Amino acid sequence: MHNEYMPYLSEIKEVIKHTDIEYTFRITYEGAVKPGQFFEVSIPKYGEAPISVSGINNGIIDLTIRRVGKVTNEVFERYVGDKLFLRGPYGNGFDVENYKNKELVIVAGGTGLSPVRGVVEYFSEHPQEVKKLILIAGFKTPKDILFLEDFERWNKKAEVILTVDQAEEDSTYQVGLVTEYIPKLSLKNVEEAVAVVVGPPAMMRFTTQKLLKTGFLEQNIWISQERKMSCGIGKCGHCKVNDTYICLDGPVFNFTKGR
Amino acid sequence: MDINTKLLKKNAFRVTKKRGMTASRVRVPGGHLEAIYLPLLQNIAETYGNGTVHITSRQGFEIPGIAFENMPQVNELLQPIIEGLDINQQVPGKGYSAAGTRNVVACIGNRVCPYACYDTTGFAQRIEKAIFPNDLHFKIALTGCPNDCAKVRMHDFGIMGMTEPQYNIDRCVNCGACVKVCKKKSVGALQEVNYKVKRNADKCIGCGECVLACPTRAWTRGKQKLYRFTLFGRTGKKNPRLGEDFIKWVDEDSIIKIILNTYDYVDSYIDPAAPGGKEHIGYIVDRTGFEEFLTWAMKDVQLPEIAEVYTPIYWKGVKY
Amino acid sequence: MGFYFTKDGMNAVLKRLMDEYLVYAPIRMIGGGAFSDTNSVRYGQISKISDIIFNQKSEYSFKEILLPLSQTLFFFTEDQVKEAEAPKKGAIIFLRSCDLHAVKRLDEIYLRNGFEDYYYKRLRENVKFILLGCQNPFENCFCVDMQTNTIDTYDASIEQAGDGYVMDNHCNAWESLLSSHCLNQQDVQPSHVTETGVHVKIPDGLSIDAANSKMWDEYDDRCINCGRCNFVCPTCTCFTMQDIFYTDNGKVGERRRVAASCMVDGYTDVAGGGSYRKKNGQRMRFRVLHKVYDYKERFGYHMCVGCGRCDDICPEYISFSHCINKLESVVKEVGDNNA
Ligand SMILES: Cc1cc2nc3c(=O)[nH]c(=O)nc-3n(C[C@H](O)[C@H](O)[C@H](O)COP(=O)(O)OP(=O)(O)OC[C@H]3O[C@@H](n4cnc5c(N)ncnc54)[C@H](O)[C@@H]3O)c2cc1C
Ligand code: SF4
Ligand code: SF4
Ligand code: FES
């Protein structure tokens, strides 16, 4: 009988520091996983936390973690060669098939970029599989920007809008909310275009509203939801919203369902 | 008119403002009685009194407006009440055999109140049986829980119900209800440790709020009935003061024994010249020293293991 | 096959079964109530047939046996985990029809919704159920309306009959044990109630729009979010994971799960101080609609089995069945608002 609660060990191979409180941990993982899926990461004695995969690479996965409490604090005490406990991957993840041969707009707010990073990577590596790829990524201040090196790479393959809410006057970054860029997008056919939105709840709400106003169809918008989770496998109930278990049926939802 | 007021008072009547008129005092140990006795009181008030009944501050009834000459008839009518309430009596048909030791007061207790840790009336009746009749001026009150609705600290002996909370760690889901309620309504004796609850037994006053708040029955009540026992509170002229803690987590038998021992102590040491034979025990203790009192009080008392005795005790209060 | 047992016969059977099983039934916990000098009927292990309380509803349900309120999943050191051991014996649970229906709900979540739950399954596989027939409904029961008043998926059934007991057996393995201790064999049909004092009507046309009704606001103040209604419910299954380290040896600890309640603060808290359903009325809505609406949307039948325990226990006298009956006007209210 399989015990899904038993975690397995994974070794930290590299730690990338984006900001003081956001690091990406490159760790070992053998197995299939999709962007948008998540792992329950744990440190015995401190607990478990659901963390999305932010990158997938031959036997290695990236977890981009924001330090906010018990478990995440403790993860930040670990370094290359140390071990983390994992279980998962869980959740449905993003299905890139849904976006193929479409004009694809990805709107990410803050750490929301990590779950969709895999989607951006996929299409920047297979640019022929989308009609167009636009990434709008918003952060609070320049200090909060994640995956800065990736943006340079992505810039060559896609239309990338990197924006911050506020910045010093001499900053080279664009200043503004992600929603401001949506009406200005140059899309051939907005009714056929697809959009992926991930970020804090308020950002997702305003962004989807704006997308709908701009002409996107509900069924062409995808979002990723975060809720309190304790088990990640449809048992504990914490993530339930109406008849939906975010951990099982999500976290990625078509807007017609995830609203 | 020739009336022995000493005997009249001992018989639970009183000298009133109005010459020739008295009032009859009916004791109701524990302050709870069957309603069938109310018409009997009504009958006395209407037949021999002035048609009114006063509810006394010690949970009895006082029937005023009775002419001295009607005392024997009143005593006869009191007989079924005295018997029905199971009051110890020396001569049947002759009314109450003493009045010095006052009615034993109790809050409503666990017959009704969810907070009460025991049957206050039942225990009050047990104490009444053990101590009455006696001319010594003792005041005893019982209250169901540390809310102290019966204000027992204003009595010579105050008895406050406690419950020793029992914790079943396997039923605790760390909802936090007990920790919160103990902090907000009581003394903050509970603390979350490692997602479970730790009780500071020294701090705990046994109010049972945790038991009441617990949604899973992780907290339940201890099997043994235990009490906080306070000593020598008093109201009155010279030095009104609150009773101080004497024993925490004491059992019923010990309480009764200590009260009876205190009667012996007072009998030996009371100032024979005290006006009306009334000298508050506290003043006697001041005279003899607390140690002497303690020696008398604890004679043959077997305290439960958990009991904590506070000694020596110092009283505060208002001094005139 | 049906049997009649004398008390001694029944006890002889139980004694034999106890070699193989831990036997749980509603028993009287003396002094086990929240108030002083009150008892409580709850699940516990029995040693003889007279321990079983036949004529009262248990305050908390049998679910604590399959889903302990606090359950250790595994022990760990810095980099090793060791699974907590399962009980060596199986279990027999005496329970009523509504509760046996509740087992199906527990199975739905713990065996089917997503991964199979290892800890539930290893207990569940070794459990036998003995149905307690119901001759009369108790206060607040509404099983008939929830269609949970009868069931035949028991391993055996039992009822008091005069000074003895009648039993219907479905479990082949027990057949010879039972026939050797019975007084006689007879046809036995477990009793069930056909009428209850409380009725509920779950309106057709209920939709998630019911969440927008003003009806829930009443509970903002009335409910004290204590969670008793969840903890007693045989169909509530939520839990929270906890990691602890032993205070005497900081290197060792355990991971456990404890029952959780969607009525209690903290249930939805997320990083950054966010939480959903802050008001008690919204929690009430979440609970009530889960029991009689959205669970069915997902699994095809209602979650609530009509045992009425939540009504029995609520310190604020909030009646769940009464609330269900208000849904009819809620459907109208939100319908009018949408029109
Ligand atoms: C599907 C999913 C994917 C996620 N992906 C990422 C990610 O890629 N990177 C990242 O940094 N964070 C992610 N999170 C959030 C992350 O799980 C929480 O920040 C983390 O659980 C906090 O754990 P902690 O022990 O460090 O904090 P705690 O000490 O437990 O708590 C700090 C705060 O976090 C809240 N919290 C506890 N558990 C959760 C939870 N499961 N979800 C949200 N808040 C919680 C607490 O209520 C408290 O307010 C994700 C959450 C979900 C549900
Ligand atoms: S409905 Fe009643 S039992 Fe349930 S949480 Fe509210 S007050 Fe507690
Ligand atoms: S919701 Fe209430 S009546 Fe329904 S199964 Fe749960 S406790 Fe019983
Ligand atoms: S996280 Fe436990 S049910 Fe979804």
Side-chain angles (χ1 to χ4, degrees), chain C residues 18-183:
Chain C
M18 278 174 207
D19 295 339
E20 218 180 314
Y21 301 97
L22 304 170
V23 184
Y24 297 92
I27 60 171
R28 177 162 285 121
M29 310 270 179
I30 304 293
F35 308 136
S36 61
D37 294 336
T38 59
N39 304 328
S40 153
V41 175
R42 291 208 313 253
Y43 271 81
Q45 282 190 47
I46 61 163
S47 59
K48 54 187 186 307
I49 194 71
S50 56
D51 291 342
I52 300 182
I53 301 298
F54 282 92
N55 58 1
Q56 257 175 284
K57 196 193 302 182
S58 71
E59 219 175 356
Y60 292 74
S61 83
F62 72 94
K63 83 170 172 200
E64 300 169 357
I65 302 152
L66 287 169
L67 292 171
L69 284 164
S70 178
Q71 183 177 31
T72 301
L73 304 185
F74 45 81
F75 302 93
F76 45 63
T77 56
E78 304 278 279
D79 51 11
Q80 273 187 327
V81 282
K82 185 177 163 292
E83 195 179 294
E85 274 175 29
K88 299 213 165 38
K89 285 184 177 179
I92 292 174
I93 301 176
F94 286 82
L95 78 188
R96 299 177 187 283
S97 173
C98 56
D99 282 355
L100 194 45
H101 280 273
V103 173
K104 176 174 168 196
R105 278 86 177 148
L106 304 186
D107 287 351
E108 193 73 78
I109 298 297
Y110 278 84
L111 299 180
R112 293 189 280 277
N113 194 42
F115 290 86
E116 232 172 35
D117 188 285
Y118 174 81
Y119 297 93
Y120 178 81
K121 189 168 183 197
R122 74 181 189 183
L123 291 173
R124 175 72 175 86
E125 277 180 341
N126 297 310
V127 169
K128 300 263 183 231
F129 295 106
I130 301 185
L131 181 76
L132 294 164
C134 291
Q135 279 133 15
N136 295 298
F138 299 106
E139 193 184 351
N140 294 324
C141 289
F142 52 97
C143 54
V144 178
D145 293 344
M146 298 313 293
Q147 294 163 1
T148 58
N149 55 328
T150 59
I151 195 155
D152 54 18
T153 56
Y154 50 81
D155 294 294
S157 78
I158 190 168
E159 247 165 278
Q160 286 173 309
D163 292 336
Y165 301 88
V166 285
M167 205 171 204
D168 181 32
N169 182 39
H170 287 178
C171 177
N172 288 334
W174 292 347
E175 199 69 24
S176 66
L177 172 70
L178 297 178
S179 33
S180 68
H181 287 95
C182 72
L183 195 68

Side-chain angles (χ1 to χ4, degrees), chain A residues 228-240 245-247:
Chain A
K228 166 119 165 186
M229 291 185 182
S230 209
C231 70
I233 53 174
K235 304 284 167 276
C236 74
H238 287 279
C239 71
K240 190 180 101 46
Y245 288 78
I246 307 284
C247 67

